[in-house]
Amino acid sequence: MLQLIRTDSGNPDFVSLVKLLDQDLAVRDGGDHAFYAQFNKIDLIKHAVVGYLDQRPVACGAIKPFSEGQMEVKRMYVHPDYRGKGLASEVLQELEKWAGELGSRACVLETGKRQPEAIALYQKAGYAVTENYGQYIGVDNSVCMRKDLPQ
């Protein structure tokens, strides 16, 4: 059973999982990686979740304030050895619950067209594609999504 802990970006297990995420994204994004990397700094993240199986960190995700009443989902990752077990869904549900507790009415996120499994995860969780926002406006590879949270 996945044990979820709420933490922040200073958590060493979160940091190590994000490093693996960045390595994966560098391959997937290719020449676009530097553009995306500038928006994925974790030093100011105050709301991160790390998932553990048998005391091993295997999954993570984070939320950060986006606009009034909205949080942005960031840094979602599951170690490749543990994919396909629903762990990302559990992390995402915990992040959404936390966002609601913080007074958010919705979550937004950006993912890439080269991450079809992420798009499928978010659609299954009730996220809908929306117009690209902020720094992603006009970026062809970006897919922005939004979900209203239960009130």
Side-chain angles (χ1 to χ4, degrees), residues 39-115:
F39 305 116
N40 289 325
K41 306 283 188 246
I42 63 170
D43 53 335
L44 299 178
I45 291 179
K46 294 182 173 70
H47 306 96
V49 169
V50 178
Y52 295 86
L53 283 176
D54 298 322
Q55 301 179 343
R56 179 177 178 190
V58 297
C60 68
I63 50 174
K64 70 175 196 173
F66 177 71
S67 65
E68 188 171 336
Q70 295 187 103
M71 294 292 259
E72 185 177 25
V73 176
K74 303 290 289 180
R75 317 293 23 221
M76 288 286 297
Y77 182 74
V78 174
H79 190 283
D81 294 345
Y82 296 91
R83 292 183 181 159
K85 302 177 185 309
L87 305 183
S89 294
E90 290 186 56
V91 170
L92 184 59
Q93 287 170 8
E94 183 67 14
L95 291 170
E96 292 171 352
K97 179 180 173 188
W98 200 358
E101 291 169 10
L102 294 168
S104 294
R105 297 181 305 276
C107 284
V108 298
L109 60 86
E110 183 275 340
T111 189
K113 291 180 181 175
R114 297 179 193 112
Q115 299 167 55

Side-chain angles (χ1 to χ4, degrees), residues 2 7 9 13 18-19 43-45 54 58 69 95 100 112 122 145:
L2 188 67
T7 186
S9 61
D13 292 331
V18 167
K19 285 181 181 174
D43 53 335
L44 299 178
I45 291 179
D54 298 322
V58 297
L95 291 170
Y122 298 130
M145 306 179 91

Side-chain angles (χ1 to χ4, degrees), residues 27-42:
V27 172
R28 289 180 192 241
D29 293 337
D32 295 333
H33 184 67
F35 169 77
Y36 290 109
Q38 67 182 321
F39 305 116
N40 289 325
K41 306 283 188 246
I42 63 170

